[in-house]
Amino acid sequence: MARTVIDVDDEKLAAAAEIFGTTTKVATVNAALEDAIKRRRRQSFLDWIGEGGLPDLTGPVDPPADHGAA
């Protein structure tokens, strides 16, 4: 793991620590980095799906046979 000296906004760091439940700066920064990576990967996957990435699993869905019966 690389050691890097950076200036971090203390208020944003504190807010992130509260969100992630972390207690150290290192843990908070690592959690935020991991979260950003996962969010982008999920969005990329959703974009791929939206562009027809799984053509056999997308398209119209027939409602259940008992739909609307009451």
Side-chain angles (χ1 to χ4, degrees), residues 11-24:
E11 290 179 12
K12 290 178 183 174
L13 187 66
E18 187 174 329
I19 289 167
F20 295 116
T22 52
T23 57
T24 67

Side-chain angles (χ1 to χ4, degrees), residues 12-13 16-17 19-20 22 25-39:
K12 290 178 183 174
L13 187 66
I19 289 167
F20 295 116
T22 52
K25 291 179 181 180
V26 170
T28 302
V29 170
N30 285 329
L33 291 170
E34 182 177 350
D35 185 63
I37 292 165
K38 286 180 178 180
R39 285 174 184 265

